[in-house]
Amino acid sequence: MGVTTAIAIYLIIWWVVLFTILPLGVISHAEAGIDKGDGGDPGAPVDPKLKKKFFTTTWVSALVFAVVYLVIRLGLVPMPSSAANF
């Protein structure tokens, strides 16, 4: 696996994990009993804690990537040597 392929795989894993982690622990204004007034969405989060979620996404993605890398490196899932092999 080349460096470019590894970076691409990591970024795909990072985005999938981000969208998995985003809804965890979110309390909406409606659930908290806060009136948003005119034009406010009652489903909007009170405190999304995005910085914490980005850090969590990064380390969880690193763990998932490590597993994927080991599976590929150990040959459990062979990678084609070039696109001409398809």
Side-chain angles (χ1 to χ4, degrees), residues 21-74:
I21 288 179
L22 274 177
L24 298 179
V26 174
I27 298 173
S28 69
H29 283 85
E31 292 170 337
I34 300 171
D35 183 27
K36 287 291 289 181
D38 289 337
D41 185 4
V46 175
D47 182 17
K49 300 175 184 147
L50 290 179
K51 186 182 280 190
K52 179 181 177 184
K53 291 184 181 190
F54 285 151
F55 287 126
T56 303
T57 298
T58 301
W59 70 262
V60 169
S61 298
L63 291 175
V64 172
F65 177 77
V67 170
V68 169
Y69 179 79
L70 286 175
V71 165
I72 292 171
R73 188 77 174 154
L74 294 175

